[in-house]
Amino acid sequence: MPAIELILAYDGLPFNGWQIQANGVGVQALLQRAVRTMTKERTAVIGASRTDAGVHALAQVAHFHTKRNIPPHGWLRGLNSLLPASIRVRQVRQVPATFHARRSAKWKRYRYLISTGPVASPFLLGRAWHIFAPLDLRAMRSAATALIGRHDFRAFAAANDGSRSKVRRIYSLKIRTVRGMRPAKGATPKGGCIAVIDIIGDGFLKQMVRNIVGTLVEVGQGKRAAGDIGPILTSQNRRRAGRCAPPGGLYLVEIGYRLPFKRFRSVPLP
Amino acid sequence: MPAIELILAYDGLPFNGWQIQANGVGVQALLQRAVRTMTKERTAVIGASRTDAGVHALAQVAHFHTKRNIPPHGWLRGLNSLLPASIRVRQVRQVPATFHARRSAKWKRYRYLISTGPVASPFLLGRAWHIFAPLDLRAMRSAATALIGRHDFRAFAAANDGSRSKVRRIYSLKIRTVRGMRPAKGATPKGGCIAVIDIIGDGFLKQMVRNIVGTLVEVGQGKRAAGDIGPILTSQNRRRAGRCAPPGGLYLVEIGYRLPFKRFRSVPLP
């Protein structure tokens, strides 16, 4: 049966994550229901990445098989009319029957947004992690270098991570800033900024990005030295790493099916 | 009594607008309650602009009088701890007792966001007006020129606008674009953009910005000629103008207390 590939954006706030949950609504459940309404088949929809509750997606990838002969724009319009407005199908493509959204994936790019400053923007509620005091981004960048490459990332994985091998490769971890809410003419208080952390890897353990961000933030706050990251990694001990960053700051930005990845193709801020 | 000036940001979605409403919660009511908790006085909080339900503010200005001697950062922290996270006090200043947030205002700047493209971003729900087909921004810019200057704007006011004089001066109306959600590598469908309309005037009648935007969008969609705007204005007939644009795309961006206004000081996207 031919396969259809979907590229999806969703606001993670209204949903309990990608996967079908015992209590609550998963993005996958809503998507699969919409697909089945169109196919009238018992179609299974498979996603590339099981985003946690509250985590957003700009370009999640999913696939399904169907005998129905509907053109891509027909799927796009049909599915978007059946889905809630906080989940959107952005693109539809016919792909070879062997395509598998998760197994064929070669790399994933996640983005984490941190806003800093004395006042949190109401417009970033549930969309960025707000931290009041400024972060030492230089120390965070220096700390991040220890994570690049192929390592056992057990120390940064959730206790209930189900994958057999804990070895993953991080290709790139970059931190840049964009301006956040600014105060007017020299008034109290001073303004903050938004730190954008972009991380590319061949795959990520459960909560790995959020545990990495949480640990880097502790470095940025001066609670840890930049040199601590290497020893945490080699300790393979979750308790050595920092806290798990909140889900609302995390965005699944891109999934690639070919290597090498195209570096920092422009993906707009969420 | 000395006066305190507050600069506020709020997400308009959770509230029924600025003013205290018979049914529902107004931003003013919540703010006044927080101020009274701190002053233990029967303080009245006065805002510069009565934003409608769903309309956002990046820098609403409000003032109140109090005998309490609290430093600006004390007000900032205290009020923000008492307010919901979707309303934030961004700045606090002591101002002369004669300062009046509404009466002293010399100009206001509003911004309207329109997203276009075949797929609406889940992240702009209630924060931009989504229009599927591309807009002819050139025609819209040309149409807007007829609005610049001092005119009777009755044709663009809500029927229940309470102001005696309908004459207002528009100093500037600019339309620019920023990139919205883009599709990957040549896939269906093509991406859209975000049109940012910035409008500065000495004051605005009720729903005036939204009625102007709604009419300009009809020009951008080819439903009206750019030259129609002048005759609509001189007709002073509301029924001649276009539909009222939805409130979620509108942002109160800045209020000025001195002339001339500083042109397009950088205010981040919402």
Side-chain angles (χ1 to χ4, degrees):
Chain A
M1 268 198 291
I4 301 290
E5 179 205 44
L6 306 175
I7 298 187
L8 300 150
Y10 49 82
D11 180 350
L13 212 54
F15 310 107
N16 285 307
W18 171 258
Q19 273 202 303
I20 294 159
Q21 309 269 322
N23 53 342
V25 193
V27 175
Q28 188 195 13
L30 290 164
L31 182 62
Q32 189 165 279
R33 191 197 299 162
V35 168
R36 287 179 178 187
T37 301
M38 288 186 69
T39 60
K40 299 188 176 71
E41 299 163 347
R42 282 192 48 80
T43 324
V45 175
I46 292 158
S49 203
R50 297 185 200 95
T51 54
D52 288 328
V55 173
H56 313 289
L58 298 186
Q60 168 76 288
V61 178
H63 81 276
F64 60 89
H65 292 96
T66 180
K67 286 176 190 150
R68 297 267 291 155
N69 190 20
I70 298 172
H73 69 266
W75 288 112
L76 187 102
R77 286 194 203 166
L79 292 174
N80 280 337
S81 74
L82 292 164
L83 287 165
S86 39
I87 304 175
R88 290 291 89 181
V89 177
R90 294 180 56 180
Q91 287 171 49
V92 181
R93 264 190 301 222
Q94 279 195 328
V95 284
T98 53
F99 175 84
H100 191 285
R102 191 173 72 248
R103 285 190 219 126
S104 310
K106 293 280 194 294
W107 52 267
K108 290 174 186 167
R109 178 187 309 184
Y110 278 93
R111 176 168 294 166
Y112 199 95
L113 300 188
I114 300 171
S115 57
T116 64
V119 182
S121 168
F123 301 100
L124 292 176
L125 275 180
R127 299 197 178 168
W129 182 14
H130 187 75
I131 290 170
F132 288 91
L135 295 171
D136 181 347
L137 297 181
R138 253 173 116 169
M140 290 168 69
R141 288 190 187 106
S142 157
T145 56
L147 299 165
I148 308 299
R150 201 162 170 274
H151 304 284
D152 185 311
F153 280 98
R154 208 174 299 255
F156 293 96
N160 62 349
D161 175 79
S163 42
R164 262 171 307 177
S165 165
K166 309 295 185 191
V167 175
R168 295 291 184 276
R169 182 184 291 277
I170 292 184
Y171 290 112
S172 160
L173 194 161
K174 300 213 171 174
I175 306 177
R176 64 198 163 88
T177 57
V178 293
R179 196 165 51 214
M181 287 214 304
R182 281 212 314 175
K185 34 186 170 173
T188 312
K190 284 194 180 169
C193 75
I194 295 169
V196 182
I197 302 178
D198 264 301
I199 178 164
I200 303 175
D202 62 359
F204 294 92
L205 305 171
K206 192 167 182 184
Q207 293 182 353
M208 180 170 145
V209 178
R210 289 162 59 195
N211 287 330
I212 285 173
V213 169
T215 310
L216 290 178
V217 161
E218 292 180 6
V219 171
Q221 291 174 321
K223 293 178 187 169
R224 289 170 188 273
D228 283 4
I229 303 294
I232 293 169
L233 199 56
T234 49
S235 79
Q236 304 193 1
N237 181 351
R238 171 67 188 91
R239 271 165 291 178
R240 294 279 301 274
R243 65 165 288 194
C244 184
L250 186 59
Y251 298 78
L252 170 57
V253 168
E254 199 176 1
I255 300 174
Y257 292 89
R258 251 179 245 178
L259 283 170
F261 53 86
K262 276 160 293 162
R263 289 194 158 271
F264 289 86
R265 200 160 48 112
S266 143
V267 180
L269 278 172
Chain B
M1 267 196 291
I4 301 290
E5 180 205 44
L6 306 176
I7 298 187
L8 300 148
Y10 49 83
D11 179 350
L13 211 53
F15 310 108
N16 285 307
W18 172 256
Q19 274 201 303
I20 295 161
Q21 308 272 321
N23 53 344
V25 192
V27 176
Q28 188 195 13
L30 291 164
L31 182 61
Q32 189 164 279
R33 191 196 300 163
V35 168
R36 287 178 178 189
T37 301
M38 287 185 71
T39 60
K40 299 187 177 70
E41 301 162 347
R42 282 191 50 77
T43 324
V45 175
I46 291 156
S49 203
R50 298 187 199 92
T51 53
D52 288 327
V55 174
H56 314 288
L58 298 187
Q60 167 78 287
V61 178
H63 82 275
F64 60 89
H65 292 96
T66 180
K67 287 176 190 151
R68 297 267 292 156
N69 189 19
I70 298 172
H73 69 267
W75 287 113
L76 186 101
R77 286 196 203 164
L79 293 174
N80 280 338
S81 74
L82 292 164
L83 288 165
S86 38
I87 304 176
R88 291 292 89 183
V89 178
R90 292 180 58 180
Q91 287 171 49
V92 182
R93 264 189 302 221
Q94 280 195 328
V95 284
T98 54
F99 176 84
H100 192 284
R102 191 175 68 250
R103 285 190 219 125
S104 310
K106 295 279 191 297
W107 53 267
K108 291 174 187 167
R109 178 188 308 183
Y110 279 93
R111 175 168 294 166
Y112 199 96
L113 300 188
I114 300 171
S115 59
T116 64
V119 181
S121 168
F123 300 100
L124 293 176
L125 275 179
R127 298 197 178 167
W129 182 14
H130 187 74
I131 290 169
F132 287 92
L135 294 171
D136 182 347
L137 297 180
R138 256 173 113 167
M140 290 169 69
R141 287 191 188 105
S142 158
T145 56
L147 299 165
I148 307 300
R150 200 161 171 275
H151 304 285
D152 185 311
F153 280 99
R154 209 173 297 256
F156 293 97
N160 62 347
D161 174 80
S163 41
R164 261 170 307 177
S165 165
K166 310 293 186 193
V167 175
R168 295 291 184 276
R169 183 184 289 278
I170 292 185
Y171 292 112
S172 160
L173 195 162
K174 300 216 170 173
I175 307 177
R176 62 197 162 88
T177 56
V178 294
R179 194 165 53 215
M181 287 215 305
R182 282 212 313 174
K185 32 185 170 174
T188 312
K190 283 193 182 172
C193 76
I194 295 168
V196 182
I197 303 178
D198 265 301
I199 179 164
I200 303 177
D202 62 0
F204 294 92
L205 305 172
K206 191 168 182 183
Q207 294 182 353
M208 179 171 147
V209 178
R210 290 161 58 195
N211 286 331
I212 286 174
V213 169
T215 310
L216 290 179
V217 161
E218 292 179 6
V219 171
Q221 292 174 322
K223 294 178 185 169
R224 289 172 188 271
D228 283 4
I229 303 294
I232 293 170
L233 199 57
T234 49
S235 79
Q236 304 193 1
N237 182 350
R238 170 67 186 93
R239 270 164 292 179
R240 293 280 301 273
R243 63 164 289 192
C244 184
L250 186 59
Y251 298 78
L252 170 58
V253 168
E254 199 175 358
I255 299 172
Y257 293 89
R258 252 180 244 177
L259 282 170
F261 54 85
K262 277 159 294 161
R263 291 195 156 269
F264 291 87
R265 199 162 49 111
S266 144
V267 180
L269 278 172

